[in-house]
Amino acid sequence: MKRLFAFLISVFLLVSTACANGSRGTKSSDKGELSDMKISIQITSDSGNHNLTATLADNSSATAFYGLLEKGPLTVKMHDYGSFEKVGSLGTSLPRNDTQITTVAGDIILYQGNQITIYYDTNSWNFTRLGKVDGVTQAELKKILGKGDVTAVFEILR
């Protein structure tokens, strides 16, 4: 009887633990809403060195990007595309949550799962929103990103 009771208690504890761990999954609305995950972006461009902060979106793509940054800063060489964004390779693929979006200045977008973009103007397409640069106007962002290629260092804001 004692063994049966101990066995049932053990099973109960294992099931309870499994259920508790399963409920800890990352909340992911995938609607592009902002979360509490903050990052810094150091931009080096023809206009100098600039430090920006950004708030990541509340979706599985942004969570995966944050997880990538937990391993250390990520340096991305970015070039101008279409006179509305800077784009560069992440060197890895992240989960996509593409929806029809019209970007605005400051949007940080995942493109094709393996490219990161910082928008300084508008564009409409099926993209995954990773986040938004905090407190910078369109004119300020255009000046910061400059006219040529830029280097962006993304890291978790500490």
Side-chain angles (χ1 to χ4, degrees), residues 126-148:
N126 284 326
F127 296 126
T128 299
R129 187 178 319 276
L130 286 179
K132 177 102 172 120
V133 175
D134 300 326
V136 179
T137 68
Q138 181 177 11
E140 290 168 332
L141 196 53
K142 279 184 177 182
K143 182 178 179 185
I144 290 168
L145 293 174
K147 298 200 182 293

Side-chain angles (χ1 to χ4, degrees), residues 28-106:
S28 177
S29 66
D30 293 334
K31 295 180 183 175
E33 297 168 354
L34 297 179
S35 72
D36 58 356
M37 295 181 293
K38 299 288 246 176
I39 63 169
S40 68
I41 310 168
Q42 181 180 5
I43 302 286
T44 303
S45 68
D46 63 358
S47 67
N49 293 324
H50 308 274
N51 291 310
L52 304 172
T53 61
T55 305
L56 295 183
D58 186 10
N59 62 43
S60 61
S61 305
T63 300
F65 182 58
Y66 193 85
L68 185 64
L69 299 181
E70 286 180 321
K71 297 174 184 173
L74 176 67
T75 301
V76 180
K77 302 286 186 189
M78 304 178 87
H79 63 276
D80 201 76
Y81 181 81
S83 298
F84 51 77
E85 69 180 307
K86 299 290 185 184
V87 62
S89 175
L90 286 172
T92 191
S93 291
L94 300 177
R96 293 168 65 171
N97 291 287
D98 292 347
T99 58
Q100 182 65 36
I101 297 172
T102 298
T103 62
V104 296

